[in-house]
Amino acid sequence: MEAQRVKKHTCGTICLKYLLFLFNILFWLAGGAVLAVGVWTMVEKSDYISLLNSGFYATSAYILIAAGVVVIVTGIIGCCATLNEMKSLLIVYLILLFCIFLLEIIAGVLAYINYQELDEELKQNLKVTMQQKYQQPGEESITQAVDKLHQEFKCCGSHNFSDWSDSVWIQAAENERLVPDSCCKTPSELCGRRDHPSNIYKMEGGCIMKLEEFILSHLYILGAVGIGIAFLQLLGMMFTCCLYQNLKEELY
């Protein structure tokens, strides 16, 4: 009977080890995905940071990068603890999983709150930024970001193309354009002199709406990824507790 009991515990421990190891592989891959999204955000979308007065966009990218690194390191610790059956390391791993789980909840709440503030900031400041800073000395980053925004989202102006009529740059005496050349569907030198719908993004809507949709879609994606990782973490914590208990019982 005693031999049968030990065999049962050993079999259970082996199953838990492989389940937890599989979980750690998935957790590690999820961390890599989060890290990749953070790096992509900084590399591909960093131009838009200059259009926002707050550091929300840049901070979000740095948080994603840090979170990805922490998740990857935690996954490595979990693999080491599982394969070597180190109870002390399993406890460390369990604490790390719980801390990351709590941070995800806090980050989700803060992201929702900050998005509301960011939405208001876009509406209040993007139009003024475009009109006052586009093509002005020392504002090269703003100019580049606005041009990229026009072309990438196929829009013109903050709310619509008519916003440019009050632009400092457009009102300059030597300027022949009605809108920036980047508003044109096929950009070329001085193409902004014609504001006909066949030439510029006139009927497609303003850039605020497009940028809001872009940010919101990414928040949805990050939210879905966060929920998936949180579910994995709950499974991981359960497997870790079971494995720790089995290892503890096999000592007696």
Side-chain angles (χ1 to χ4, degrees):
M1 187 72 179
E2 184 65 26
Q4 186 178 0
R5 182 186 172 190
V6 172
K7 184 177 180 180
K8 180 182 176 183
H9 285 158
T10 303
C11 181
T13 301
I14 292 172
C15 290
L16 282 170
K17 278 180 62 176
Y18 283 110
L19 281 172
L20 193 54
F21 182 76
L22 177 61
F23 159 79
N24 278 299
I25 295 297
L26 294 174
F27 195 54
W28 188 84
L29 290 174
V34 171
L35 177 61
V37 170
V39 172
W40 174 79
T41 301
M42 284 302 299
V43 173
E44 294 294 325
K45 305 300 177 183
S46 59
D47 289 338
Y48 300 143
I49 294 174
S50 59
L51 297 177
L52 306 174
N53 288 339
S54 73
F56 174 78
Y57 198 91
T59 302
S60 299
Y62 287 128
I63 288 174
L64 286 174
I65 292 171
V69 171
V70 170
V71 168
I72 289 172
V73 171
T74 302
I76 293 173
I77 291 174
C79 286
C80 294
T82 302
L83 294 177
N84 296 319
E85 299 183 6
M86 299 172 63
K87 292 193 296 178
S88 58
L89 204 55
L90 280 173
I91 293 175
V92 172
Y93 176 61
L94 181 62
I95 292 172
L96 285 172
L97 282 179
F98 183 71
C99 288
I100 294 173
F101 183 75
L102 289 179
L103 287 173
E104 283 175 347
I105 295 174
I106 295 170
V109 173
L110 290 177
Y112 176 79
I113 294 172
N114 282 322
Y115 172 72
Q116 307 303 316
E117 296 176 359
L118 181 63
D119 191 42
E120 285 301 314
E121 180 186 310
L122 276 174
K123 293 175 181 176
Q124 293 174 12
N125 299 323
L126 187 58
K127 181 178 179 179
V128 175
T129 299
M130 285 182 168
Q131 291 177 340
Q132 300 296 324
K133 297 183 178 181
Y134 185 79
Q135 290 288 8
Q136 298 304 300
E139 301 291 354
E140 289 77 13
S141 62
I142 295 290
T143 301
Q144 183 180 356
V146 171
D147 287 339
K148 184 175 180 179
L149 191 66
H150 282 158
Q151 285 298 301
E152 187 166 336
F153 293 105
K154 295 178 170 53
C155 57
C156 183
S158 177
H159 295 90
N160 53 60
F161 78 101
S162 63
D163 293 335
W164 286 109
S165 62
D166 297 322
S167 166
V168 174
W169 175 66
I170 293 293
Q171 290 179 346
E174 68 277 5
N175 199 339
E176 303 175 34
R177 298 172 179 83
L178 297 174
V179 294
D181 293 339
S182 57
C183 280
C184 299
K185 295 179 179 179
T186 305
S188 61
E189 186 68 23
L190 295 177
C191 68
R193 288 183 295 185
R194 293 179 59 247
D195 61 358
H196 193 272
S198 64
N199 184 52
I200 69 168
Y201 295 115
K202 190 172 183 177
M203 310 303 294
E204 286 78 2
C207 293
I208 279 184
M209 182 180 67
K210 300 291 183 68
L211 196 54
E212 282 177 340
E213 290 173 356
F214 169 78
I215 294 173
L216 193 58
S217 67
H218 276 68
L219 284 178
Y220 284 143
I221 293 171
L222 292 175
V225 171
I227 291 171
I229 292 177
F231 177 72
L232 283 176
Q233 285 173 277
L234 289 174
L235 288 178
M237 286 187 277
M238 182 181 69
F239 291 149
T240 303
C241 289
C242 292
L243 179 59
Y244 179 85
Q245 188 62 32
N246 274 29
L247 291 174
K248 187 176 180 181
E249 287 178 359
E250 286 183 358
L251 293 176
Y252 301 100

